[in-house]
Amino acid sequence: MPKPIRRLIGLLGLLTIVSMVTFGAMNFLGDPLFNILGPVAADVDNPESLKVIEEAKAQYHLDKSLPERWARWAWDFVRGDFGVQFSSSGQPPVSDLIKERLPRTLELMAVAQIIAVSLAIPWSVLAASRANRRTDKISTITAFAFVSIPSFAMAVILFYFFSVQWDLLPDTYTATDPFWGISHDHRLIQLILPGFTLGIGSAAAYQRLLRTDLITTLQQDFILMAKSKGVSKRRVLYSHALRPSLFSMITLLAINIGFMIGGSLVVEQFFRIPGIGSAVVEATLREDFPVVLAIVMIVSAGFMVFNYLADYLYTLIDPRVRNEDTSKPRKITSMGM
Amino acid sequence: MLHETDSANNILELSDYRVGFRTERGLAKAVDGVSLSLKRGSTLAIVGESGSGKTVLNRGIMGLLGANIIEGGSAKFQGEELVNTNRQKLWGTKMAMIFQDPMTSLNPVMKVGNQVSEPLRLHQGMSRKEARDRTVELFTLVGIPEPAKRFGEYPHQLSGGMRQRVMISIALAIEPDILIADEPTTSLDVTVQKYILDLLVDVQSKSNMSMVIITHDLGVARGRADEIMVMYGGRIMEKAPSETVFQEMKHPYTQALLSSIPRLNDPKHTRLTPIEGFPPDIVDGPQGCKFAARCKYAQDTCLTLAPEETTIDKHTYFCHFPVGTDAGSEALKSNEDKGFTAAGLRIKSKGEVV
Amino acid sequence: MNEEQEINADEVTNDSQASEEETNISDSTQLEVSEFADKKTLGFGFWLATFWLVLISFLAVFSPILPFKDADKNYIAYEQKENPLTGKVQERPVQPPYAPSGEHWLGTDQDARDILSRTIEGARISLAVGALTALFGMIVGGTLGMIAGYFKGILDKIVGAIFLVVLSFPGLILAILIVALLDRSLLTISVTLGILGVAPIGRLARAQTLSFSEREFVMAAETLGAKKSRILIKELLPNVLIPMSTLAMLVIAVAIVGEGTLAFLGLSVQNSATWGKLILTGSGLSTLESSPWVAFVPMGFLFLTVASFNYLSDRIRDYFDVRDIFVTRD
Ligand SMILES: Nc1ncnc2c1ncn2[C@@H]1O[C@H](COP(=O)(O)OP(=O)(O)OP(=O)(O)O)[C@@H](O)[C@H]1O
Ligand code: SF4
Ligand SMILES: [Mg+2]
């Protein structure tokens, strides 16, 4: 079996385990019945309550064994039925919530990635073209500082300067506003502060990687060749050196999409963006298990898929390995939130 | 003056040209006082072992060594002083270069056609279409089959020989006044080597540009260069019209190089270690002749006194005891009798190094 | 953002081969990157970071016996003011927050509590979380990793699978899940964050053990009939410890940040001031407008501490040449 397929099957196996662990932990540590019914769940002496309890148990299959309940959940899940929310106000399907909230998180992440990449590229080129000179040293320290600022701190800093002090950018997000547009009543602009919060740290991380790769590339003969052809310095940097240096950054970028979901939890909470990040926080606090489970699955799957893609993405952009069934051992694996 | 200046006719004139690198140990004198002149339309071959400074000399002339070097002496290109000036305006218009390894000197992620048409568009103001047509024309000229198809391919899709032809097309696209080819065939197959060298000489003579070929291998220079310069430890050892070098070489280093030529017809390009020992340290080198430690002729004088230039006709060399002269034969004989040279190199009779 | 560190603990051999190849490729005469030149000195920054960490740890540990103000006391200031109605000069309380002054070096919050004292109080919890997390990660991850690397075979496979599963969870969601379902004690939070450190530390320990267990001194001990447990502890542990502790420093940084993140989600340690909670209290619109120092002082402390741990880890890795083994992105 070709390696990519083998790995894909491995990922599916991992996802299954992740769902089992999450499913088990929530039922083991929490009390689903209580979360559905509230205080009534404990009132087993009252025959009327008992009836309600029995009904609820039957409806949510709580009378079945844990593995069986997991299997039912999994079977529904693969068919796209994520179940219903535990909610006192009716039982809206979990998929409604996801459909409403996931796009907002994706928008936020897209804005953040675009900010990160468009900061990182010129920044790295500047630093690499002055390798080990003062500009480069200052930029290395700056990058180091930026990656040491947690996203919640970055949120406070940006909020303080751009919103409180200078009043330049909106800090409130209105889900009903249109996206495209450049006034404070457009979500594109409303996402700038949250986007920078998520994006600056990533930009610094990309810069560290891209700068190193650029310095290596700039020592290659073909750069000298380009110079000797009379290509201007700027063009040498941007059209000759940049592209062959991008591969590890793109790998990191793909992996980082997974991380950003973690970062977006805080950012969504801070800037009050009703995305899946804030949804999972709210659902966890309410112990609304179907929602938590669905989001854990989506996030893990996304995380794994992008990790997986990261290993093959470079085959799409590097003409040298295009059409080849290989996967380079990658230098970056991950730990984090 | 070491050389009569004939500025109108000379495209390149070096006099006492030096290049040093700042290193932790001190100044590395990679090129240590080179003087030469190159006539318009003629070909110079620079020959020497690895580390003798050939590449530094040429990249130095082109100004491609970056900022961390110290340049000295004089290097005039078409009468204009180059030393310590920015040579960017000459790149891609008047000077062109071919590098040793066509794999590493072509951009791996750029279509080869675009790499050739880039200077055409940048310096000759051609449109995309014109540059493309010209590139295909050049590909045909250098013997690349299916030129239009090759235009859109990446370097890794081509063989070594094809890549080097692409490099030559780049050089030709520029239509330079001088072309510097730094070991253009070292990384190629022996059959391809000959073809590429002949191709270079052919386009050279057709376009009347001047050319410098750098090589390890005296055999490569033979018949292709008008003049040969033998370099060692950053200095000129001997310089003469091509055939003179082979017929009447005066320098023991040239002799040693020659006796170790792998013949072009050898099955594989065998690179013999020409001479026992290693090139001299360029930071803290010997006081006298740079070759003394490895020279079979070396006498006490050689250790303390750097040899002066001797020029007879167009034949220049730097040696106290030149090959084929009375002084030289005497020096060799006395060393052979003693069994070792003044520098302590042990030799057997008849010049065989132990 | 910086909760994320990339670590490569597998494929040690592959990496070193790759870097060898890289160095061979370039025959160019371009300038060398002098990064390598000052490799073997720890440098000024190293000592600065060490100084800060020693200082903050000292303050945190000894704050009860140091002459700091009471972190929970309201230091209301009074001023003499003429009452406009009566015309009498009266002593009246001044509305807090108070800006930094000789009395309160780093100002007070809206309840007139001393920010410096509160920040140092917060350091106690935040650093404790960091230390406990790293300890948990090192004990569990180190043990699992060393066992996997030394005994190889099926044990290695099982441990590898555990690490893989832990790594495929979205870490922060896992953390809030556990914390929300259990309790918000110092220990729960530390262990939860520690779980996130187990896999990276474990992978590193495994890779190191694997490479050292084939060295002569281990072979020699084995042929001399030393017990396996003895080899693990006497021969292998000392060699695994240095790279592992540089990674543990990163884990401390991640844990401190993680605590702050949990605080912003309303899930940090109950009933104690932590850096995260202090920053959160200071980050409301009105507080930021009237007294930005309430948020920025603990943030500064947190930043310096996190940056110092990141930097130290970086330098030590350079110094001991363990750069090839894992790449961080701090
Ligand atoms: N950037 C540099 N810094 C310090 N020394 C250098 C640098 N580049 C080259 N050198 C030294 O200069 C000397 C000449 O090198 P050069 O590359 O010119 O030799 P070469 O004759 O071209 O050899 P080869 O046949 O191997 O290409 C060598 O001793 C080399 O180590
Ligand atoms: S004979 Fe003397 S001067 Fe001539 S090459 Fe030998 S050592 Fe140098
Ligand atoms: Mg060379």
Side-chain angles (χ1 to χ4, degrees):
Chain A
M1 214 186 305
K3 200 175 166 206
I5 308 279
R6 261 206 328 267
R7 280 203 51 196
L8 213 54
I9 292 172
L11 285 189
L12 286 178
L14 262 182
L15 265 182
T16 314
I17 298 177
V18 165
S19 77
M20 286 200 241
V21 173
T22 317
F23 195 90
M26 285 188 312
N27 282 285
F28 186 64
L29 300 173
D31 181 356
L33 194 61
F34 180 84
N35 295 302
I36 299 167
L37 297 177
V40 183
D43 195 11
V44 278
D45 299 331
N46 184 336
E48 207 145 300
S49 306
L50 202 61
K51 202 173 148 251
V52 180
I53 292 171
E54 292 305 323
E55 267 171 21
K57 273 191 174 172
Q59 189 190 346
Y60 292 96
H61 309 295
L62 293 177
D63 46 355
K64 307 282 182 348
S65 71
L66 200 57
E68 190 187 333
R69 273 155 60 201
W70 176 81
R72 281 174 184 280
W73 170 86
W75 176 239
D76 287 344
F77 187 83
V78 292
R79 288 179 309 166
D81 178 1
F82 296 177
V84 292
Q85 301 177 37
F86 288 172
S87 152
S88 41
S89 56
Q91 286 146 358
V94 174
S95 47
D96 283 3
L97 181 85
I98 306 281
K99 261 184 230 141
E100 182 190 330
R101 296 205 164 195
L102 186 59
R104 295 184 194 137
T105 301
L106 295 180
E107 276 167 16
L108 169 63
M109 300 212 312
V111 171
Q113 285 286 18
I114 290 169
I115 289 172
V117 171
S118 33
L119 288 177
I121 287 180
W123 184 8
S124 316
V125 169
L126 180 78
S129 67
R130 279 155 225 245
N132 290 309
R133 288 200 263 151
R134 197 158 56 191
T135 322
D136 180 40
K137 285 188 176 142
I138 293 171
S139 105
T140 302
I141 295 172
T142 314
F144 192 86
F146 277 171
V147 274
S148 294
I149 300 177
S151 39
F152 61 85
M154 188 61 89
V156 176
I157 295 170
L158 294 178
F159 173 63
Y160 176 70
F161 285 106
F162 289 93
S163 197
V164 177
Q165 282 286 309
W166 303 328
D167 199 15
L168 284 173
L169 288 164
D171 58 71
T172 43
Y173 181 90
T174 314
T176 48
D177 281 348
F179 185 83
W180 294 106
I182 50 162
S183 86
H184 282 203
D185 295 328
H186 292 98
R187 283 182 293 139
L188 179 64
I189 302 303
Q190 293 164 1
L191 281 176
I192 289 182
L193 272 187
F196 265 93
T197 304
L198 269 182
I200 289 183
S202 305
Y206 298 164
Q207 193 268 351
R208 294 185 60 152
L209 208 60
L210 183 53
R211 169 192 170 271
T212 317
D213 286 357
L214 268 170
I215 289 176
T216 315
T217 305
L218 285 173
Q219 289 171 328
Q220 303 278 320
D221 278 353
F222 68 83
I223 295 299
L224 215 55
M225 179 70 201
K227 273 192 200 164
S228 81
K229 285 195 289 189
V231 178
S232 70
K233 198 172 171 193
R234 209 187 143 75
R235 214 182 129 90
V236 166
L237 288 168
Y238 282 95
S239 28
H240 285 267
L242 185 58
R243 200 170 149 206
S245 313
L246 279 177
F247 304 121
S248 25
M249 193 196 90
I250 288 173
T251 306
L252 179 57
L253 191 141
I255 297 171
N256 197 33
I257 293 176
F259 285 127
M260 274 196 172
I261 301 173
S264 71
L265 254 64
V266 180
V267 174
E268 286 180 11
Q269 195 80 357
F270 189 86
F271 291 102
R272 312 214 180 290
I273 300 170
I276 55 162
S278 42
V280 75
V281 175
E282 290 157 18
T284 312
L285 296 179
R286 270 191 293 138
E287 300 195 14
D288 188 346
F289 295 152
V291 174
V292 177
L293 202 53
I295 295 180
V296 166
M297 291 308 288
I298 290 171
V299 173
S300 304
F303 187 73
M304 286 183 213
V305 165
F306 280 110
N307 259 282
Y308 169 79
L309 283 183
D311 283 347
Y312 296 96
L313 202 58
Y314 80 103
T315 56
L316 297 178
I317 41 183
D318 188 343
R320 285 167 292 189
V321 290
R322 224 180 259 168
N323 311 324
E324 279 173 41
D325 173 31
T326 51
S327 145
K328 217 165 29 177
R330 161 182 103 202
K331 286 213 170 166
I332 315 149
T333 54
S334 337
M335 160 188 128
M337 322 212 90
Chain B
M1 215 45 255
L2 292 170
H3 298 265
E4 317 94 87
T5 32
D6 185 1
S7 302
N9 240 332
N10 287 342
I11 185 149
L12 189 65
E13 268 172 41
L14 305 190
S15 112
D16 196 27
Y17 181 67
R18 295 158 188 277
V19 179
F21 294 98
R22 294 189 190 93
T23 69
E24 275 158 47
R25 292 175 50 223
L27 190 66
K29 298 178 277 287
V31 175
D32 194 10
V34 166
S35 304
L36 63 86
S37 54
L38 179 63
K39 277 214 188 64
R40 209 172 284 279
S42 72
T43 301
L44 169 72
I46 302 180
V47 189
E49 276 174 283
S50 193
S52 50
K54 309 180 295 290
T55 298
V56 174
L57 171 62
N58 285 285
R59 291 191 182 174
I61 294 170
M62 280 203 73
L64 281 171
L65 288 174
N68 199 29
I69 60 154
I70 298 177
E71 243 186 330
S74 151
K76 287 195 171 131
F77 177 74
Q78 298 179 331
E80 208 179 310
E81 182 60 56
L82 297 179
V83 170
N84 292 322
T85 62
N86 187 339
R87 280 150 257 193
Q88 204 165 349
K89 60 178 189 302
L90 302 174
W91 297 344
T93 53
K94 302 201 158 162
M95 290 178 158
M97 205 154 177
I98 295 175
F99 294 85
Q100 171 171 341
D101 185 348
M103 185 67 233
T104 61
S105 42
L106 286 173
N107 190 331
V109 299
M110 199 169 176
K111 291 175 180 160
V112 288
N114 290 336
Q115 303 194 45
V116 180
S117 54
E118 188 174 33
L120 294 171
R121 302 198 50 199
L122 287 177
H123 302 296
Q124 294 164 29
M126 289 192 191
S127 70
R128 189 179 292 272
K129 171 94 180 42
E130 287 167 338
R132 190 189 169 95
D133 292 346
R134 175 76 182 133
T135 302
V136 172
E137 223 175 279
L138 287 168
F139 277 179
T140 319
L141 186 73
V142 298
I144 295 178
E146 296 184 87
K149 178 168 165 261
R150 295 284 175 222
F151 188 97
E153 294 190 345
Y154 290 94
H156 73 277
Q157 292 169 290
L158 308 178
S159 68
M162 284 303 146
R163 283 183 216 137
Q164 200 57 300
R165 281 175 228 222
V166 172
M167 292 281 286
I168 294 174
S169 336
I170 296 177
L172 293 179
I174 292 166
E175 294 176 23
D177 295 335
I178 187 168
L179 172 63
I180 297 174
D182 190 346
E183 312 207 23
T185 57
T186 312
S187 63
L188 302 179
D189 243 25
V190 74
T191 42
V192 187
Q193 268 188 31
K194 208 165 135 21
Y195 184 92
I196 294 287
L197 286 168
D198 294 340
L199 176 66
L200 267 176
V201 172
D202 184 47
V203 294
Q204 188 282 126
S205 59
K206 274 185 198 149
S207 59
N208 198 35
M209 62 185 175
S210 317
M211 183 157 76
V212 177
I213 293 186
I214 300 171
T215 169
H216 279 103
D217 184 340
L218 267 171
V220 163
R222 189 165 206 169
R224 297 195 174 90
D226 301 307
E227 224 183 352
I228 294 177
M229 177 176 123
V230 178
M231 233 183 133
Y232 183 75
R235 290 207 181 145
I236 297 183
M237 298 288 110
E238 182 162 17
K239 183 163 66 77
S242 185
E243 272 317 297
T244 315
V245 170
F246 291 94
Q247 309 301 332
E248 311 163 26
M249 99 243 340
K250 284 285 188 292
H251 204 283
Y253 180 62
T254 316
Q255 187 185 38
L257 269 183
L258 196 61
S259 61
S260 66
I261 288 190
R263 266 143 293 277
L264 263 180
N265 303 336
D266 281 357
K268 186 91 191 160
H269 177 61
T270 33
R271 204 192 278 177
L272 307 175
T273 320
I275 311 142
E276 190 82 355
F278 300 98
D281 185 359
I282 53 172
V283 176
D284 189 14
Q287 200 189 353
C289 173
K290 299 237 176 189
F291 188 54
R294 300 161 74 190
C295 177
K296 291 180 299 190
Y297 294 70
Q299 304 295 316
D300 289 336
T301 341
C302 305
L303 297 179
T304 51
L305 197 65
E308 292 287 322
E309 172 180 334
T310 313
T311 302
I312 301 163
D313 272 341
K314 289 175 172 169
H315 193 167
T316 302
Y317 53 88
F318 293 76
C319 179
H320 293 299
F321 305 97
V323 178
T325 63
D326 292 347
S329 313
E330 218 167 279
L332 182 61
K333 183 151 189 328
S334 84
N335 283 347
E336 279 171 359
D337 292 345
K338 278 189 289 181
F340 53 88
T341 70
L345 181 75
R346 282 155 51 81
I347 46 178
K348 266 197 272 176
S349 64
K350 275 288 149 235
E352 256 179 86
V353 178
V354 178
Chain C
M1 252 325 299
N2 70 308
E3 310 104 83
E4 303 128 29
Q5 325 276 358
E6 271 73 44
I7 287 133
N8 179 20
D10 13 52
E11 314 301 348
V12 182
T13 40
N14 265 332
D15 279 5
S16 49
Q17 273 165 11
S19 58
E20 255 170 51
E21 272 163 30
E22 274 157 33
T23 39
N24 288 343
I25 297 170
S26 153
D27 169 52
S28 87
T29 39
Q30 288 268 314
L31 303 181
E32 267 146 53
V33 184
S34 64
E35 235 168 24
F36 304 104
D38 51 9
K39 199 177 188 177
K40 284 295 167 196
T41 56
L42 289 167
F44 177 67
F46 176 87
W47 297 112
L48 202 66
T50 311
F51 172 74
W52 170 259
L53 291 179
V54 169
L55 178 71
I56 189 70
S57 313
F58 175 82
L59 292 180
V61 172
F62 294 104
S63 72
I65 55 166
L66 289 172
F68 284 116
K69 293 196 157 59
D70 185 341
D72 294 319
K73 197 173 156 200
N74 312 93
Y75 290 92
I76 301 291
Y78 292 89
E79 60 183 353
Q80 304 289 332
K81 210 172 181 186
E82 192 177 313
N83 187 326
L85 295 176
T86 59
K88 264 194 267 172
V89 177
Q90 274 181 333
E91 191 167 73
R92 307 181 62 207
V94 187
Q95 179 70 32
Y98 308 138
S101 66
E103 181 64 22
H104 298 282
W105 292 354
L106 299 173
T108 75
D109 64 10
Q110 256 127 341
D111 298 328
R113 290 176 299 190
D114 186 70
I115 292 295
L116 176 61
S117 298
R118 289 185 69 71
T119 304
I120 287 170
E121 191 62 24
R124 291 170 68 86
I125 309 293
S126 288
L127 290 177
V129 168
L132 281 173
T133 301
L135 203 66
F136 182 84
M138 273 175 85
I139 292 175
V140 178
T143 312
L144 286 176
M146 285 183 69
I147 288 175
Y150 187 63
F151 294 103
K152 307 189 184 85
I154 183 80
L155 271 173
D156 191 15
K157 290 239 162 65
I158 293 172
V159 171
I162 294 176
F163 289 165
L164 199 59
V165 171
V166 178
L167 280 178
S168 4
F169 267 96
L172 193 56
I173 297 185
L174 179 71
I176 59 174
L177 204 65
I178 299 179
V179 174
L181 291 176
L182 289 176
D183 61 85
R184 287 156 53 194
S185 69
L186 181 63
L187 198 65
T188 310
I189 288 181
S190 306
V191 169
T192 305
L193 293 172
I195 292 174
L196 304 181
V198 164
I201 293 183
R203 284 186 165 192
L204 175 73
R206 176 187 168 274
Q208 287 285 302
T209 311
L210 210 56
S211 74
F212 275 106
S213 63
E214 259 127 52
R215 295 274 186 89
E216 302 77 21
F217 62 88
V218 178
M219 301 280 199
E222 269 169 355
T223 34
L224 288 176
K227 269 200 287 192
K228 288 195 184 289
S229 58
R230 197 186 150 80
I231 293 178
L232 269 172
I233 292 166
K234 283 269 179 188
E235 310 288 344
L236 290 171
L237 187 61
N239 288 299
V240 177
L241 218 50
I242 285 178
M244 210 160 83
S245 52
T246 65
L247 194 49
M249 285 189 192
L250 285 184
V251 172
I252 298 179
V254 171
I256 293 175
V257 170
E259 182 282 316
T261 307
L262 286 177
F264 268 70
L265 302 177
L267 286 170
S268 184
V269 187
Q270 243 160 350
N271 304 327
S272 340
T274 68
W275 281 341
K277 280 164 101 176
L278 291 173
I279 299 171
L280 180 65
T281 12
S283 66
L285 179 61
S286 64
T287 318
L288 273 181
E289 264 173 345
S290 64
S291 49
W293 54 85
V294 178
F296 282 97
V297 169
M299 194 190 291
F301 276 62
L302 178 134
F303 168 73
L304 287 177
T305 308
V306 168
S308 297
F309 275 120
N310 281 343
Y311 189 74
L312 281 194
S313 167
D314 213 52
R315 293 309 304 174
I316 297 177
R317 247 173 297 145
D318 256 6
Y319 192 75
F320 287 106
D321 263 339
V322 277
R323 170 66 68 188
D324 268 356
I325 299 166
F326 50 90
V327 184
T328 54
R329 119 134 192 259
D330 31 42

